[in-house]
Amino acid sequence: MLLHLSTWQEVEAYLQQSCGIILPIGSTEQHGPTGLIGTDAICAEAIARGVGEATQALVGPTINVGMALHHTAFPGTISLRPSTLILLVKEYVTCLTKVGFTKFYFINGHGGNIATLKAAFSETYAYLEDLQIANAQKVQCQVANWFMCGSVYKLAKELYGNQEGSHATPSEVALTQYVYPEAIKQAPLSTEVATGHRIYGATNFRQHYPDGRMGSNPALATPEHGKQFYDLAVKELSNDYLEFVNAE
């Protein structure tokens, strides 16, 4: 059940059965010479819809732009500042809490969002209690990073070993190839790829990672691998969501 394809009456009826909602969140940022700029949002949205179908949960609109300031030296990247993303999450959760939602499950596709999301949850809990909104004390937010699922991590290591890397990875590229086979990209990739540098500002990042990859070889990705990652992530996160939403 997708929020943007539902009516308010349908959402009201849903709230009689469940107080949980899934919110996919990703990023709009460079992913190397062959990775789609929307990779992180595409992955989060596809998996969130799969989890929603498997658990009969409501799935909210995808937050396509995240915290990716360190990628902004590459054309096409769009980023929110951490403070802006915190406000956005707080507004989303506040609106939905007012009508009865209390369990917010963020399926995340971008590592750069994790710290900001956790800060946003703390800000939101305090804000709701300060406003004395009904059920504020019941609100719980959780972030689930699909790429950190145990089954996904294991398969990525089996398929790619050290060539998985940590950005523009073959696992995430494979998932986008499965979701959008018509948008598979080809480009020459150097055999040597930068790795191990600390992340500071955008200019520094591009200097150290000139083609946008971080230790990865996305040429190893295939749509068939993407289907495997999708199935594993949906299964694992469906179980996790149900545990979260049913816990006291």
Side-chain angles (χ1 to χ4, degrees):
M1 183 177 175
L2 303 178
L3 181 65
H4 70 285
L5 298 182
S6 306
T7 65
W8 70 263
Q9 293 98 329
E10 289 173 320
V11 176
E12 189 169 70
Y14 171 86
L15 281 164
Q16 300 303 310
Q17 306 298 322
S18 177
C19 61
I21 185 169
I22 297 170
L23 293 167
I25 180 170
S27 184
T28 299
E29 65 184 47
Q30 70 82 19
H31 272 78
T34 60
L36 305 180
I37 287 175
T39 291
D40 292 343
I42 291 167
C43 293
E45 180 173 279
I47 292 168
R49 290 188 178 197
V51 173
E53 290 176 5
T55 63
Q56 298 301 298
L58 183 66
V59 180
T62 302
I63 302 172
N64 289 284
V65 179
M67 206 306 288
L69 292 174
H70 51 293
H71 291 292
T72 52
F74 292 87
T77 296
I78 305 172
S79 178
L80 300 178
R81 294 181 181 276
S83 54
T84 307
L85 184 55
I86 288 171
L87 289 172
L88 185 150
V89 169
K90 185 174 73 173
E91 296 298 338
Y92 270 48
V93 173
T94 298
C95 288
L96 293 167
T97 298
K98 287 179 178 179
V99 296
F101 289 96
T102 58
K103 297 272 192 167
F104 299 89
Y105 191 77
F106 288 78
I107 293 184
N108 178 45
H110 174 48
N113 288 338
I114 298 172
T116 301
L117 279 173
K118 290 181 178 180
F121 298 162
S122 294
E123 289 267 4
T124 300
Y125 299 143
Y127 180 71
L128 294 175
E129 291 200 6
D130 287 346
L131 290 183
Q132 297 184 336
I133 291 177
N135 293 321
Q137 74 282 2
K138 295 181 180 179
V139 170
Q140 296 178 358
C141 301
Q142 183 165 311
V143 57
N145 308 297
W146 77 268
F147 49 90
M148 294 178 69
C149 289
S151 56
V152 168
Y153 182 84
K154 180 181 178 182
L155 179 60
K157 286 300 181 184
E158 290 174 356
L159 291 174
Y160 313 126
N162 291 334
Q163 294 186 82
E164 166 72 352
S166 58
H167 182 67
T169 63
S171 59
E172 61 184 344
V173 170
L175 183 49
T176 64
Q177 290 179 345
Y178 168 63
V179 177
Y180 287 108
E182 72 277 14
I184 295 174
K185 308 295 183 180
Q186 302 292 337
L189 297 172
S190 62
T191 54
E192 291 191 11
V193 56
T195 186
H197 299 287
R198 292 182 180 272
I199 297 176
Y200 296 105
T203 301
N204 178 270
F205 183 96
R206 184 160 181 176
Q207 287 173 344
H208 284 123
Y209 300 103
D211 74 352
R213 294 181 295 154
M214 298 177 70
S216 63
N217 182 8
L220 300 175
T222 69
E224 292 74 22
H225 291 167
K227 174 66 162 59
Q228 291 179 265
F229 287 118
Y230 171 83
D231 289 340
L232 289 171
V234 168
K235 181 179 180 180
E236 191 165 328
L237 294 185
S238 293
N239 291 333
D240 189 58
Y241 171 77
L242 290 174
E243 287 183 11
F244 169 64
V245 81
N246 291 324
E248 292 296 331

